Amino acid sequence: MTDLIVNSGVQDALEDHPVAADFYDALDEEVAELIEEASRRAEANDRKTVMPQDL
């Protein structure tokens, strides 16, 4: 599976908090689910383009 998040970006966003190593994998899985759901919604609306409202 492709990494969907950038670890350094997450670290920057959470600058005041330490980040556990396994947090990145869990976050990546959540993002992958959001993308898959958005893709299904676009297809259900007869579109190939995934749009913000699909989230």
Side-chain angles (χ1 to χ4, degrees), residues 4-55:
L4 299 171
I5 60 150
V6 177
N7 292 9
S8 61
V10 174
Q11 289 172 342
D12 289 346
L14 296 171
E15 61 187 32
D16 295 333
H17 302 282
V19 181
D22 56 349
F23 178 80
Y24 300 109
D25 290 333
L27 180 59
D28 207 64
E29 288 176 20
E30 290 290 324
V31 171
E33 287 178 22
L34 281 172
I35 291 171
E36 184 59 36
E37 289 173 20
S39 175
R40 282 194 293 269
R41 183 177 165 101
E43 288 177 10
N45 287 291
D46 295 320
R47 287 185 280 109
K48 291 185 180 183
T49 302
V50 178
M51 304 174 85
Q53 62 262 31
D54 295 320
L55 293 172

